[in-house]
Amino acid sequence: MCGIVGYIGPAKASQILIDGLKRLEYRGYDSAGVAVHTPAGFAVAKKTGRVANLEREAARHVLTGTCGIGHTRWATHGGVTDANAHPHVSSDGQIALIHNGVIENFSAIKRFVTGKGYTFQSETDTEVLANLIAYHYAKEPAPAADAEPSRLLESVRKSLLHVEGTYGIVVMSRDHPGELVSARRGSPLILGIGRGENLIASDVSAIVGRTQNVVYLKDGELARVTADAFAITSLTQGDDVVPVISQVNWSIADSALGDFAHYMEKEIFEQPQALENAMRGRFSEDGSTAQFGGLNVTPNELRQVDRLLFTACGTAWHACLVTEYLVERFARVPAEVDYASEFRYRNTPLDPNSLLFVLSQSGETIDTLAALREAKRRGYRGLAITNVVGSTIAREADGGIYQHVGPEIGVASTKAFTSQLLLGAMVALYLGRMRDMSYADGKAYVAALKAAPDLVRRTLTQAEHIRGIAQRYAGYNDMLFLGRLALFPIALEGALKLKEISYIHAEGYPAAEMKHGPIALVSERCPSVFFVTKGELFPKVVSSMQEIKARKGPIIAVCTEGLELPPGLADEVIPIPDCHEAVLPIVATIPIQLLAYYIAVARHCDVDKPRNLAKSVTVE
Ligand code: M6R
């Protein structure tokens, strides 16, 4: 969850590190820090709170070096204090380290290094590793100048062989200002290969300002990086690894805020374009089905699939639920959804014709990655729908579909979610057309998906109307979201969006379930957001609304255009375009994103960096 950046080259490192940290801040914002080599040893500046605090703190230090490391923290071991902020320096001053992950056997290591005379300033697991590397460094014979492997590399390798847990680390040694050593197990790390300079980071966003050429480190790999070279070896065997250099297709402009107040707002309004990007080139020439380049499963194999499993976390899990509905409805293939954190331990029975899909915007969520690995360990094929090209999940999946919506920076997922809904609908279409869906139905389905960006554009014109509603409801402390069928997961998503950015207690339910418990919450102080659409369930949803109204609960109805609600039933109505069942969840999502966003703004919440959260959850 923490953000990591390292720089080595001819330029002043501290500014490059701080700029990188600003772009990584969505990964964790409990504290931030940098350490650079100076002729007098390491100069370290760290501060709780945002990178802006660190920037002020850094101005009070002499940070002149051209090699350094920086970190934004999402606290795991130890509270949010300056002392617990990274980088951590070993008590002999030899090693400086930044770390993302959790050292599970930190107590045993701490006992060991304490016995060797090393001392501690913080409560973190990371400082234990800094001291362990320092211990091995002190024991390591000094090699001849320019000898390979380096003393630092070997001491990192020896130390990591004793570590249980997960890590992405970047390490410097006081006596060797010309090198950085990095290693990963379970936490992402990327080398940015520049001209006469190199970078190491947890995400490409920290690198793209200086280079588009990257190498994705794999688990169990160690890298030694100097200003003009890098070498990767395997942690356990010590063998050289032949690096694969990839080009990043994001530019720094993609992560600029522009005229928007928040990334979440920008990303909400980007959705028409994001949907167009996600569907581009993915329909057959005759316009009757979808096509995917990277699934790596033949149509024949797909026809054999008799059960689909979808797994993910958070918002991506809601996208799985909608996809489950569409796959069963349009492809008639039994589908199931599981939380990735449960799937990985649940030992779900799978049969040879089961196919697993994992969904993950970041492609780094540790539970989702573990679910994928578990399915693969058991010999099943695992496909991924993910946004971040080159992410760990993208690389480890047997095949998959990229979302192509550009960087999503707001911690609350928006455009990644609607593009997952779109791709899930396209998977349902693809599988459906291989089975019973007619050519005519396929054509209508494709036409409906192609219209989705315009329908979203139309729905976004409700923004001012929704802002007005938000201002009237921003003072409430509880809210219910109620929908049916494919809009039930959108109710869950509405509740999640609201609670994560405005801290209002909210719950999502299938509308008819409300009578089985949640209705006890209803009063004039607990509004309900209903999704109301035409079809056989319209009268049932209206009955549920009547039951809420009878108990004085205020009602906000997200309602398809042209539907007549009984007069006075809804206190507020947000119209959405009537559309194909596969597109409705996408369109219905827009009002709940805007409602959550404007309520959070009205409550003066930090929309893009909600308390306690981080963009990508890379610890269990
Ligand atoms: O990167 P992922 O899609 O795997 O992330 C999954 C969840 O952590 C994420 O959707 C989270 O729930 C968001 N904060 C939701 O807005």
Side-chain angles (χ1 to χ4, degrees):
M1 335 250 299
C2 307
I4 278 186
V5 60
Y7 172 82
I8 184 162
K12 188 176 173 193
S14 59
Q15 200 48 54
I16 294 168
L17 297 173
I18 288 174
D19 288 347
L21 293 180
K22 284 180 185 162
R23 288 194 291 279
L24 289 181
E25 202 172 13
Y26 63 103
R27 274 194 155 257
Y29 28 90
D30 288 333
S31 60
V34 292
V36 293
H37 269 290
T38 73
F42 296 129
V44 181
K46 44 193 196 176
K47 202 73 197 151
T48 54
R50 303 299 160 86
V51 175
N53 294 0
L54 169 67
E55 208 166 12
R56 279 190 291 277
E57 175 66 16
R60 305 191 316 112
H61 296 252
V62 181
L63 298 168
T64 47
T66 62
C67 169
I69 54 181
H71 186 270
T72 58
R73 179 168 187 245
W74 188 86
T76 54
H77 282 68
V80 179
T81 62
D82 289 349
N84 288 338
H86 299 213
H88 289 285
V89 177
S90 59
S91 62
D92 62 0
Q94 182 59 255
I95 296 295
L97 172 79
I98 49 176
H99 168 223
N100 173 24
V102 175
I103 310 291
E104 286 166 4
N105 60 337
F106 83 101
S107 304
I109 298 175
K110 189 169 186 174
R111 270 195 304 278
F112 173 77
V113 289
T114 303
K116 301 292 175 191
Y118 290 87
T119 58
F120 291 85
Q121 310 284 321
S122 78
E123 305 149 337
T124 64
D125 50 341
T126 303
E127 195 183 7
V128 164
L129 187 53
N131 277 332
L132 183 65
I133 295 171
Y135 163 75
H136 283 289
Y137 188 92
K139 280 193 9 180
E140 193 69 25
D146 296 336
E148 293 288 351
S150 80
R151 183 175 178 184
L152 178 61
L153 186 83
E154 280 312 291
S155 45
V156 171
R157 183 197 310 283
K158 284 185 181 147
S159 304
L160 291 178
L161 293 176
H162 299 281
V163 167
E164 289 162 21
T166 55
Y167 49 80
I169 54 170
V170 189
V171 192
M172 305 191 287
S173 78
R174 184 189 54 206
D175 296 347
H176 293 91
E179 69 177 331
L180 295 172
V181 169
S182 189
R184 73 161 274 181
R185 181 161 82 198
S187 302
L189 277 182
I190 300 154
L191 307 186
I193 313 304
R195 290 190 180 175
E197 63 178 22
N198 287 313
L199 296 101
I200 306 170
S202 50
D203 306 46
V204 290
S205 53
I207 287 176
V208 287
R210 299 196 77 83
T211 179
Q212 306 289 118
N213 299 326
V214 299
V215 175
Y216 297 99
L217 278 194
K218 298 195 187 86
D219 273 353
E221 288 183 350
L222 262 174
R224 177 173 181 254
V225 178
T226 61
D228 42 28
F230 67 95
I232 303 173
T233 53
S234 122
L235 174 64
T236 43
Q237 274 90 42
D239 307 338
D240 291 345
V241 173
V242 179
V244 179
I245 300 184
S246 313
Q247 298 281 314
V248 178
N249 58 359
W250 293 355
S251 75
I252 201 141
D254 291 326
S255 41
L257 189 53
D259 293 334
F260 291 95
H262 300 98
Y263 281 103
M264 182 178 179
E265 184 191 24
K266 175 183 183 242
E267 288 157 6
I268 289 174
F269 281 91
E270 267 173 9
Q271 288 176 108
Q273 187 61 52
L275 293 170
E276 271 160 18
N277 294 345
M279 68 172 80
R280 183 166 300 117
R282 286 176 167 163
F283 292 115
S284 62
E285 235 169 73
D286 69 355
S288 75
T289 189
Q291 59 187 20
F292 302 106
L295 278 187
N296 299 335
V297 189
T298 64
N300 206 23
E301 286 169 328
L302 279 175
R303 265 186 292 272
Q304 317 293 319
V305 169
D306 57 16
R307 179 179 174 226
L308 282 159
L309 286 131
F310 294 94
T311 186
C313 301
T315 284
W317 181 76
H318 298 154
C320 291
L321 291 174
V322 174
T323 306
E324 173 194 32
Y325 174 82
L326 295 178
V327 160
E328 293 197 335
R329 165 98 175 78
F330 291 103
R332 311 296 302 153
V333 181
E336 278 168 52
V337 178
D338 211 348
Y339 284 112
S341 53
E342 293 295 306
F343 177 86
R344 63 184 289 191
Y345 292 114
R346 216 159 59 88
N347 199 14
T348 309
L350 298 171
D351 66 62
N353 293 331
S354 300
L355 179 65
L356 175 83
F357 267 93
V358 301
L359 273 65
S360 174
Q361 185 285 130
S362 62
E364 301 294 349
T365 300
I366 196 86
D367 285 322
T368 311
L369 175 61
L372 174 68
R373 285 178 176 165
E374 171 60 13
K376 290 188 64 176
R377 184 193 66 77
R378 291 165 61 186
Y380 294 96
R381 210 182 308 234
L383 305 183
I385 296 179
T386 185
N387 190 34
V388 179
V389 175
S391 57
T392 310
I393 288 176
R395 285 181 290 116
E396 293 197 14
D398 293 306
I401 310 169
Y402 277 123
Q403 295 172 231
H404 291 315
V405 298
E408 188 181 69
I409 306 225
V411 166
S413 185
T414 52
K415 64 177 179 176
F417 177 61
T418 47
S419 64
Q420 285 166 349
L421 296 181
L422 172 76
L423 294 171
M426 291 174 72
V427 167
L429 165 70
Y430 187 55
L431 297 174
R433 286 287 289 128
M434 284 175 182
R435 291 171 170 80
D436 298 335
M437 191 192 286
S438 72
Y439 176 75
D441 287 348
K443 292 275 281 188
Y445 196 120
V446 169
L449 292 181
K450 284 185 173 169
D454 274 337
L455 297 179
V456 167
R457 233 171 246 124
R458 225 165 92 197
T459 312
L460 286 167
T461 64
Q462 295 291 326
E464 275 313 302
H465 172 54
I466 297 171
R467 189 206 299 263
I469 297 173
Q471 277 157 358
R472 290 192 283 284
Y473 288 79
Y476 288 81
N477 290 322
D478 299 284
M479 214 176 270
L480 292 176
F481 287 77
L482 302 157
R484 299 205 64 163
L485 303 179
L487 297 185
F488 156 54
I490 307 305
L492 293 175
E493 175 64 5
L496 179 66
K497 282 292 86 96
L498 188 67
K499 60 190 152 196
E500 64 181 343
I501 59 168
S502 73
Y503 319 135
I504 292 174
H505 163 239
E507 293 185 33
Y509 274 94
E513 271 298 301
M514 184 258 310
K515 294 188 287 295
H516 300 281
I519 198 165
L521 294 172
V522 171
S523 74
E524 62 274 22
R525 294 301 307 153
C526 178
S528 296
V529 177
F530 273 91
F531 294 99
V532 198
T533 58
K534 68 174 191 224
E536 61 172 334
L537 289 180
F538 173 64
K540 315 276 178 199
V541 173
V542 168
S543 297
S544 300
M545 293 167 80
Q546 306 274 19
E547 288 152 11
I548 297 277
K549 203 71 205 162
R551 288 157 183 88
K552 300 192 170 48
I555 291 179
I556 301 168
V558 176
C559 186
T560 48
E561 288 161 356
L563 266 185
E564 291 262 331
L565 289 174
L569 184 57
D571 299 274
E572 315 282 352
V573 176
I574 304 171
I576 55 170
D578 191 14
C579 52
H580 191 282
E581 246 180 297
V583 178
L584 198 52
I586 299 173
V587 172
T589 298
I590 307 303
I592 54 100
Q593 292 174 341
L594 287 168
L595 188 67
Y597 172 71
Y598 289 126
I599 288 180
V601 169
R603 289 165 73 96
H604 307 290
C605 295
D606 191 344
V607 173
D608 284 334
K609 297 185 185 68
R611 71 180 179 213
N612 305 337
L613 297 181
K615 181 68 182 165
S616 102
V617 181
T618 55
V619 294
E620 196 177 347

